[in-house]
Amino acid sequence: LYLDSYVRFEDYMQAKRKLYKKNFEEMTPEREKEEEKRFKLIDLENNGIITWNDFIEFEASNLIAKKNKVNKLFNLFFQLNY
């Protein structure tokens, strides 16, 4: 089942490199460091793997943060215009 699935750091980086290449972008050393930081943020147990649960929690919190930011900007816009 997907709930038992996980990704190791090496596999994560290999997939990211393929994604950059597919999008005609270069995986620069700076981007590698950014991706390593992102992996560490998702890897809640700091064990070198991302579980499906880790991934879902991280993405859900990002979506909520983005929604809150949009809501704040929306409210600010209407406060300034009325």
Side-chain angles (χ1 to χ4, degrees), residues 6-58:
Y6 65 90
V7 174
R8 295 176 302 136
F9 176 71
E10 298 82 16
D11 299 328
Y12 174 85
M13 290 303 290
Q14 183 179 14
K16 286 295 186 172
R17 285 185 193 100
K18 286 182 182 179
L19 184 61
Y20 277 100
K21 188 175 182 177
K22 180 181 176 186
N23 292 325
F24 304 103
E25 298 179 39
E26 182 182 352
M27 176 66 97
T28 63
E30 294 81 19
R31 285 183 175 164
E32 281 203 31
K33 287 178 185 176
E34 288 175 21
E35 293 298 345
E36 184 175 349
K37 287 178 187 176
R38 182 175 170 87
F39 184 92
K40 287 179 180 180
L41 285 173
I42 302 171
D43 180 13
L44 301 176
E45 296 163 3
N46 200 24
N47 58 5
I49 62 171
I50 296 174
T51 64
W52 180 247
N53 206 37
D54 293 340
F55 176 76
I56 292 299
E57 287 180 24
F58 182 79

